[in-house]
Each structure stands twice: as structure tokens, then as C-alpha cells.
Amino acid sequence: MIERLKKWVLAKPQRGNLSLQPDAMPRHVAIIMDGNGRWAKSRGLPRIAGHHSGMKAVKRITMAADRLGIKYLTLYAFSTENWKRPKEEVDFLMRLPQEFLAIELEDLIRNNVQVRMMGDREELPDFTLDAVEEAIVRTSSNTGLVLNFALNYGGRKELMDAVRKLGTDIQAGRIDADGIEERHLERYLLTGGMPDPDLLIRTSGELRISNFMLWQLAYSELWFTDVYWPEFQDEHFCEAIREYQRRARRYGGL
Ligand code: FPP
């Protein structure tokens, strides 16, 4: 792993020298990929051109995460609030997973990447869900990077659904209300089995969480950049990880 990482870093000087510590990589990185629209506007292009360019950044950063030895990469691709956007833009965003996977699935398989999805499946169009489900099935036995798409995902909705299920368990006498523990709620979250993100990255200068992984981000390190998502390069990613490695995580202790 370390040799592969060294080769990858040295292949492009902007990725920095070898100041990244291979044994202190974040296990799980979550990204709010923001700024596609503004990137497009700054170039006189329609917003959807920004999303299309954002799709290329998804591939770039997926491969970087793989080379860096990160185990889980969660990408906020569509929120439960994004349905409020104009129909043309929503339609385009719903086509992107299909287009991305048509181009990239074979390469993801070659690289041992496992695709997952978290979010409400019911409201997704068939063509979106079919493409994602196919990728999930075809990569399910892969053991490398887990690429987790948050698609039609909302943190409050996730928590409300989990609370409802917990309520059913209590009513049915499976759990005693006084004995509820974090793990009882966690087993109903959509990240089931994944560790919480160590690092959250948000691009485009916005300093918000925007209903993303509200439970799981409790102790994550947050890193923000003004760079728009379509322009987010390997070197920005390495910079975020370098900063993460400089921070001392205390989890509320001293
Ligand atoms: C936020 O930028 C971005 C989104 C709502 C969509 C993110 C989607 C992608 C990056 C492509 C996903 C690709 C795959 C393969 C699923 P914005 O539109 O809010 O930008 P703005 O704030 O500048 O308007």
C-alpha cells in the first residue's frame, strides 16, 4: 500500500512531498461537493455543465482516495432538499449516476472499488436506481475502497426514520425504552456498519453541514475550501488530509 501511495504522490509534484503519513490516513472521508453552479456561471455555462464537470471530479477524487488508502468515501450527490430545484436540473442530476457508471463501472471494478448508496430509494427514477443497484451488485464482493453515494439523502429524515423504527421496537417489546443505547439507533442509520467520517470536506466556501450525516459527523474534523467542486484536484484533497493529520482529535477529552 505504502509503495503504491508513494508512487502516486511522486507522480505529480503538486500532490506535495511525502509529508502525508500513510499510517494516519482518515478511514472515512465524507464530501459535500458544492459549487458546481457557480463554477459554471463563472464560465458563462449553464448550471448543468457544472454538474457534468463535477462528475469528472467524482472520478478523480475516487481514484485519489483509493491510492491514498482511504477505506470509505461518502459523496453527497443529491439531498432530499434538491428536489426543489428546477425540473430540468433535477432530471439532469438524476441522469448523472447512470452516465457516470456507464463510463466508469468497469474501471471501478478493476480497481476493486465497492459501490454503495445511502438515501431513500423509492423516489428515485427507475433508470437511476437500476444503474446504482447494478453497480452495487457487481461490486459487492470487492474489498478495496467503499464508494458510498448519498443520493436522495437527508440527515434529519435518516434520524426520523431510525427513531420510528426504534419506536416500533419499543411497542413490540423488543427494547425497553429506558435501556435504549446509541447502538440501537445506529443500527437503523443508513451508514450501517461503516465507521463515522473522520474528515468532512466541503467545497465552494460555504460553511454549513446542510443536513448531511447529522449523527455521524459528531466528532469529525471539518475542512472547508473556497475551491468549487469541479476544480477540486488531488492536491486539494491531499492538503485536506495533511491538515487532518496535523489536528489532535480529543473526542471531548483532554
Ligand atoms: C451542489 O452544487 C452540487 C449538487 C447539488 C450536486 C452534486 C453532484 C455532483 C458533483 C455530480 C454527482 C455525480 C455522480 C456520479 C453521482 P450547487 O449546484 O449547489 O452549486 P452552487 O451552490 O454553486 O449553485
Side-chain angles (χ1 to χ4, degrees), residues 41-252:
K41 192 172 173 209
S42 71
R43 283 169 172 66
L45 298 168
R47 290 179 57 80
I48 56 172
H51 295 313
H52 200 261
S53 192
M55 182 183 80
K56 294 184 183 152
V58 166
K59 178 64 189 312
R60 194 159 63 230
I61 298 307
T62 299
M63 285 304 120
D66 175 56
R67 296 297 182 267
L68 287 164
I70 289 162
K71 180 63 192 167
Y72 301 91
L73 178 67
T74 294
L75 302 177
Y76 207 2
F78 193 91
S79 77
T80 46
E81 287 72 37
N82 287 152
W83 297 106
K84 293 184 213 147
R85 295 187 175 205
K87 184 176 179 312
E88 190 207 16
E89 185 171 340
V90 169
D91 288 348
F92 190 84
L93 285 168
M94 284 296 138
R95 290 273 169 205
L96 276 185
Q98 188 190 28
E99 181 179 344
F100 175 78
L101 291 165
I103 301 168
E104 304 295 354
L105 183 56
E106 296 306 324
D107 201 42
L108 294 174
I109 292 172
R110 262 195 299 280
N111 281 284
N112 198 22
V113 173
Q114 186 187 113
V115 176
R116 292 193 201 172
M117 180 208 139
M118 62 174 191
D120 274 345
R121 285 166 152 78
E122 295 89 70
E123 288 142 15
L124 295 175
D126 286 346
F127 57 81
T128 311
L129 196 54
D130 289 351
V132 173
E133 294 285 7
E134 185 200 334
I136 291 171
V137 169
R138 290 191 57 202
T139 61
S140 62
S141 55
N142 288 355
T143 55
L145 172 74
V146 172
L147 173 60
N148 181 35
F149 285 109
L151 201 55
N152 194 22
Y153 172 87
R156 286 193 176 179
K157 173 87 171 42
E158 177 188 37
L159 281 170
M160 288 305 296
D161 287 346
V163 168
R164 274 187 209 102
K165 287 180 186 152
L166 216 47
T168 310
D169 283 344
I170 294 167
Q171 261 178 345
R174 287 190 287 269
I175 311 178
D176 176 14
D178 295 328
I180 294 177
E181 292 172 15
E182 288 188 3
R183 65 186 169 92
H184 293 127
L185 187 87
E186 273 170 351
R187 73 173 172 224
Y188 290 128
L189 298 180
L190 301 171
T191 34
M194 283 190 231
D196 291 341
D198 302 293
L199 172 64
L200 171 78
I201 294 174
R202 182 171 188 151
T203 58
S204 91
E206 305 293 342
L207 306 177
R208 286 186 296 277
I209 299 298
S210 300
N211 202 18
F212 192 44
M213 304 185 86
L214 297 178
W215 175 277
Q216 297 90 337
L217 291 174
Y219 287 103
S220 308
E221 294 296 327
L222 310 181
W223 189 82
F224 300 97
T225 174
D226 287 340
V227 173
Y228 295 145
W229 176 249
E231 286 176 333
F232 194 74
Q233 308 292 333
D234 303 340
E235 46 269 33
H236 302 118
F237 197 40
C238 289
E239 193 187 325
I241 293 168
R242 244 188 304 278
E243 167 69 24
Y244 164 84
Q245 292 185 334
R246 272 198 292 266
R247 295 191 194 166
R249 301 180 75 195
R250 287 188 293 274
Y251 299 95

